[in-house]
C-alpha cells in the first residue's frame, strides 16, 4: 500500500513536470531551429517582400557564399518560441502592413521557410520546413534585436552587381 502511494506521487510529479515544461518553461528557453542546419551549404535563398498594396518585390541568391552568409545570419538570431495565442495577438495588430517571406533551400527536397515577418516591426516570425523531423515549427520572437531586412537585401544586391 505504501509503495502504491509513492508510485502515485511519483507519477503525479512526472505528469506535472511535463505539463509545466510543455506549457510554460518551453516558452522561456531561447531556441533557434535553424541553428541545427548552420553547417550545411544552402543552394539558394528566395525572399519576397509583400507590400501592403498587394505588390511583391522578389530577391534571390544562388551564390554559395551569399547563401552561407544568410544561413549564418538566420542561425545566429536569438529566438524564443511563442505560444500560438501570443503570436496571433502580436500579428493581429499588423494586418495591413507589408511583410516578408523567405525560403532557404538546402538541397532539392529540404527547405526552411520564414514567413509572417512584418517590415514595420520585424520581431516575430514563423519558421517551418519541408525537412522530415524538423524540430521547432512555429512562431518565434526575436530577442534583443529585430530582423535586419536591409542586411539580407544588401547581400543579395552585392551579388547581382
Amino acid at each position: 500500500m505504501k509503495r502504491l502511494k509513492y508510485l502515485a506521487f511519483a507519477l503525479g510529479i512526472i505528469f506535472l513536470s511535463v505539463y509545466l515544461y510543455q506549457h510554460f518553461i518551453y516558452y522561456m528557453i531561447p531556441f533557434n531551429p535553424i541553428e541545427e542546419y548552420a553547417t550545411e551549404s544552402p543552394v539558394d535563398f528566395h525572399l519576397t517582400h509583400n507590400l501592403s498594396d498587394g505588390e511583391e518585390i522578389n530577391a534571390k541568391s544562388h551564390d554559395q557564399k551569399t547563401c552561407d552568409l544568410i544561413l549564418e545570419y538566420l542561425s545566429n538570431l536569438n529566438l524564443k518560441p511563442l505560444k500560438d495565442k501570443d503570436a496571433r495577438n502580436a500579428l493581429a495588430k499588423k494586418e495591413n502592413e507589408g511583410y516578408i517571406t523567405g525560403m532557404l533551400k538546402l538541397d532539392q527536397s529540404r527547405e526552411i521557410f520564414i514567413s509572417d515577418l512584418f517590415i514595420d516591426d520585424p520581431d516575430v516570425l514563423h519558421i517551418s520546413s519541408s525537412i522530415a523531423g524538423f524540430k521547432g515549427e512555429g512562431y518565434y520572437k526575436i530577442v534583443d534585436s529585430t530582423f535586419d531586412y536591409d542586411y539580407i537585401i544588401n547581400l543579395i544586391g552585392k551579388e547581382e552587381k
Side-chain angles (χ1 to χ4, degrees), residues 8-136:
F9 181 73
L11 286 174
I13 294 294
I14 290 170
F15 286 125
L16 181 62
S17 298
V18 169
Y19 177 82
L20 287 174
Y21 176 77
Q22 289 178 338
H23 292 90
F24 300 103
I25 297 170
Y26 172 78
Y27 297 102
M28 294 181 200
I29 301 170
F31 172 66
N32 185 337
I34 300 172
E35 191 173 14
E36 183 177 331
Y37 304 94
T39 58
E40 307 234 359
S41 294
V43 294
D44 64 31
F45 178 76
H46 297 270
L47 184 75
T48 302
H49 180 180
N50 300 285
L51 302 174
S52 57
D53 63 2
E55 186 181 338
E56 292 182 353
I57 300 171
N58 295 302
K60 58 183 154 185
S61 173
H62 301 292
D63 179 57
Q64 186 67 53
K65 192 174 187 178
T66 302
C67 289
D68 286 342
L69 288 171
I70 292 170
L71 177 59
E72 179 183 349
Y73 175 76
L74 293 174
S75 64
N76 286 332
L77 287 173
N78 189 9
L79 303 175
K80 274 175 83 172
L82 280 177
K83 292 182 180 181
D84 288 338
K85 179 183 173 188
D86 294 337
R88 281 193 303 274
N89 289 340
L91 297 175
K93 302 170 191 166
K94 304 173 184 183
E95 218 168 270
N96 294 322
E97 296 178 18
Y99 63 95
I100 297 171
T101 59
M103 178 187 69
L104 186 65
K105 194 171 201 174
L106 301 174
D107 58 34
Q108 286 296 72
S109 62
R110 298 182 322 139
E111 301 161 334
I112 297 173
F113 305 100
I114 297 168
S115 59
D116 298 341
L117 182 61
F118 288 86
I119 296 295
D120 293 338
D121 192 15
D123 63 345
V124 174
L125 62 123
H126 185 265
I127 298 176
S128 60
S129 178
S130 64
I131 300 170
F134 182 78
K135 297 174 189 143

